């Protein structure tokens, strides 16, 4: 049997991680995979996570199974974090999943299980694992234009033009905030016009929110998702706790399926639990439990929010420094969009051969499409990157 297998295409982000690790240069700079790093280049365990882990160690008296959907208290806490007060419990079906990718996968599986033949529309570009999982599941996919390569900002007219081609019942995948890979986001003033287009088409929005708290703040980053919740009759949301709680390897995520028809809830919830059972049975609990404890405890939550805000403003500061340094080095405003982007990433819009030269000659690693992880920088490396970019473009 195994002799029948052929090599899979490599995941470009993970391959870059391996290439970076193998590079012996001590001046190398990792701007690849989307993992937060502090000024020392470390991805620390957040203080509130440590506190919750200690409390859990002291208090937890069983590691027995919880439930196929995970702990309802986790879903409730995440519902509050993402939707605020805006969503009644009886509208929402929810399952805990192994990370945000697990939530995306289970959402796509739910679309497949519903069997309507829906096409899933992805932004062009999007996180490469979105199309890859769709292909693996044999689900039809299409793209809508999103990014204007010239200005490195959202091309709203093109996006709306393409959303008008969406058929009734199709699913449109949207990044809730901090668009990956571009860093270019819809403005709050654009939310309603996009939602109008989705509703006019009869589309089902599927929001991927993996970076809440990394852009403009916890509430601002949830505003698009909340606007969808207020106006769309049916939608899905896949959320990740990897980045905003810094618990990457704990694999903590949640999938929500929401309908204004409460009678659909029991069967939807049952189908989502069924899919968990088929794919991995019970979802991981440790990270979800920490998140629940933090969100439900005023002291731990305040400390988490404060640390997350430090992380966010630190990345924003680096963004502004990079934008200024690029202006000075290139003597142009070509890269001023870096200051307008939000989240961990910016797509710089430089050519693949320049990306390769940065890697080979300067030891600067970014994804081939010129996506950089801002958190991979610090005050010392910002000028190094700006200088190198000015040299290669
Ligand atoms: C990224 O885009 O770098 C992250 O979401 C990590 C991953 O799994 O690709």
């Amino acid at each position: 049997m195994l002799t029948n297998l052929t090599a899979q295409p490599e995941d470009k982000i993970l391959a870059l991680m391996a290439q970076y690790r193998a590079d012996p240069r001590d001046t190398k700079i990792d701007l690849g995979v989307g993992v937060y790093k502090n000024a020392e280049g470390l991805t620390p365990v957040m203080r509130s996570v440590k506190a919750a882990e200690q409390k859990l160690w002291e208090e937890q008296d069983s590691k027995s199974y919880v439930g196929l959907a995970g702990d309802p208290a986790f879903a409730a806490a995440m519902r509050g974090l993402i939707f605020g007060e805006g969503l009644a419990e009886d509208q929402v079906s929810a399952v805990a999943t192994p990370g945000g990718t697990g939530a995306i996968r289970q959402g796509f599986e739910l679309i497949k299980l519903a069997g309507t033949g829906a096409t899933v529309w992805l932004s062009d570009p999007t996180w490469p694992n979105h199309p890859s999982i769709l292909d693996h599941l044999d689900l039809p996919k299409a793209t809508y234009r999103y990014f204007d390569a010239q200005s490195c900002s959202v091309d709203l007219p093109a996006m709306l033009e393409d959303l008008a081609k969406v058929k009734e019942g199709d699913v449109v995948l949207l990044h809730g905030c901090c668009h990956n890979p571009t860093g270019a986001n819809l403005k709050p003033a654009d939310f309603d016009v996009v939602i109008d287009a989705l509703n006019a088409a009869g589309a089902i929005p599927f929001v991927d929110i993996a970076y809440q708290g990394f852009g403009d703040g916890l509430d601002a980053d949830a505003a698009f998702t909340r606007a969808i919740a207020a106006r769309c009759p049916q939608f899905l949301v896949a959320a990740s706790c990897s980045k905003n709680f810094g618990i990457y390897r704990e694999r903590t995520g949640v999938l929500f399926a929401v309908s204004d028809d409460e009678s659909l809830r029991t069967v939807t919830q049952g189908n989502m639990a069924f899919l968990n059972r088929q794919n991995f049975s019970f979802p991981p609990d440790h990270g979800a439990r920490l998140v629940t404890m933090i969100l439900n405890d005023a002291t731990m939550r305040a400390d988490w929010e404060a640390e997350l805000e430090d992380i966010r403003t630190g990345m924003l500061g680096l963004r502004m420094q990079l934008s200024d340094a690029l202006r000075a080095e290139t003597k142009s405003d070509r890269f001023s969009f870096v200051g307008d982007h939000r989240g961990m990433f910016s797509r710089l819009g430089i050519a693949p051969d320049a990306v390769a030269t940065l890697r080979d000659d300067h030891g600067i690693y970014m994804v081939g499409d010129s996506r950089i992880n801002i958190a991979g920088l610090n005050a010392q490396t910002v000028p190094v990157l700006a200088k190198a970019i000015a040299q290669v473009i």
Side-chain angles (χ1 to χ4, degrees):
M1 174 197 78
L2 301 182
T3 49
N4 223 28
L5 296 174
T6 54
Q8 296 293 335
E10 65 179 8
D11 182 297
K12 295 201 168 58
I13 297 172
L14 303 186
L16 190 74
M17 261 172 101
Q19 230 183 328
Y20 174 80
R21 281 198 186 127
D23 187 333
R25 286 174 284 187
D26 56 10
T27 53
K28 63 187 177 178
I29 302 174
D30 178 15
L31 308 179
V33 69
V35 171
Y36 170 75
K37 282 181 266 176
N38 63 17
E40 287 77 47
L42 303 173
T43 306
V45 181
M46 292 178 85
R47 296 185 301 263
S48 54
V49 169
K50 277 279 189 205
E53 279 186 318
Q54 182 163 7
K55 194 157 182 264
L56 188 63
W57 184 82
E58 281 159 8
E59 293 175 0
Q60 192 170 51
D61 52 14
S62 176
K63 294 277 189 193
S64 178
Y65 294 127
V66 176
L68 282 180
D71 186 348
F74 170 62
M78 288 300 288
R79 199 179 69 236
L81 182 67
I82 296 168
F83 300 107
E85 300 298 312
L87 212 52
E89 185 178 354
D90 46 15
Q91 287 179 273
V92 187
S93 306
V95 283
T97 57
T101 309
I104 290 287
R105 167 71 187 245
Q106 296 301 78
F108 289 165
E109 294 255 15
L110 193 68
I111 295 164
K112 186 166 180 157
L113 198 60
T116 59
T119 293
V120 180
W121 292 72
L122 305 172
S123 64
D124 179 17
T126 192
W127 183 50
N129 220 13
H130 288 147
S132 165
I133 299 174
L134 287 173
D135 288 346
H136 181 61
L137 291 175
D138 227 354
L139 277 170
K141 66 178 193 308
T143 55
Y144 59 88
R145 282 170 292 162
Y146 178 81
F147 187 64
D148 174 40
Q150 212 55 43
S151 62
C152 290
S153 61
V154 176
D155 187 346
L156 186 63
M159 179 178 181
L160 294 174
E161 212 176 292
D162 288 351
L163 291 183
K165 298 176 197 149
V166 170
K167 303 254 174 336
E168 188 171 356
D170 280 356
V171 174
V172 177
L173 195 121
L174 302 140
H175 297 228
C177 60
C178 308
H179 186 266
N180 180 6
T182 65
N185 298 291
L186 292 170
K187 297 186 180 60
D190 304 332
F191 294 166
D192 271 335
V193 62
V194 170
I195 295 170
D196 286 343
L198 294 167
N199 283 342
I204 297 162
F206 186 175
V207 181
D208 181 355
I209 181 158
Y211 297 89
Q212 188 185 358
F214 271 32
D216 287 311
L218 280 169
D219 286 325
D221 290 350
F224 185 38
T225 312
R226 290 177 189 177
I228 287 171
R231 294 195 46 212
C232 296
Q234 258 185 40
F235 60 93
L236 304 175
V237 175
S240 171
C241 302
S242 298
K243 330 276 165 163
N244 50 9
F245 287 87
I247 50 174
Y248 305 84
R249 67 177 68 162
E250 301 297 352
R251 308 314 296 138
T252 307
V254 58
L255 174 70
F256 294 104
V258 185
S259 170
D260 62 357
D261 179 351
E262 289 161 20
S263 71
L264 301 178
R265 183 169 178 247
T266 309
V267 73
T268 307
Q269 182 68 47
N271 275 267
M272 290 162 69
F274 166 81
L275 285 173
N276 271 10
R277 182 67 167 159
Q278 304 321 301
N279 283 333
F280 44 79
S281 201
F282 299 90
D285 179 71
H286 184 73
R289 195 151 299 277
L290 300 175
V291 167
T292 312
M293 289 169 74
I294 293 166
L295 292 178
N296 289 337
D297 178 287
T299 309
M300 283 196 280
R301 185 175 182 137
D303 193 39
W304 170 66
E305 289 189 6
E307 192 170 0
L308 179 60
E309 190 59 7
D310 285 345
I311 288 172
R312 184 183 78 80
T313 50
M315 287 191 295
L316 201 54
L318 287 167
R319 216 175 240 302
M320 297 310 169
Q321 286 169 39
L322 180 61
S323 172
D324 290 347
L326 283 166
R327 185 172 298 113
E329 288 292 344
T330 64
K331 300 185 180 41
S332 78
D333 281 334
R334 170 170 169 183
F335 293 102
S336 61
F337 59 80
V338 169
D340 300 330
H341 286 172
R342 284 295 178 275
M344 276 193 128
F345 305 120
S346 269
R347 183 188 266 198
L348 296 179
I350 60 179
D353 57 339
V355 171
T357 307
L358 285 170
R359 190 179 57 239
D360 299 341
D361 295 357
H362 299 266
I364 297 172
Y365 286 73
M366 63 182 69
V367 183
D369 65 356
S370 72
R371 184 194 83 170
I372 59 166
N373 172 9
I374 293 284
L377 292 166
N378 59 37
Q380 286 72 45
T381 54
V382 163
V384 177
L385 174 65
K387 215 180 199 46
I389 289 174
Q391 272 174 34
V392 300
I393 56 172

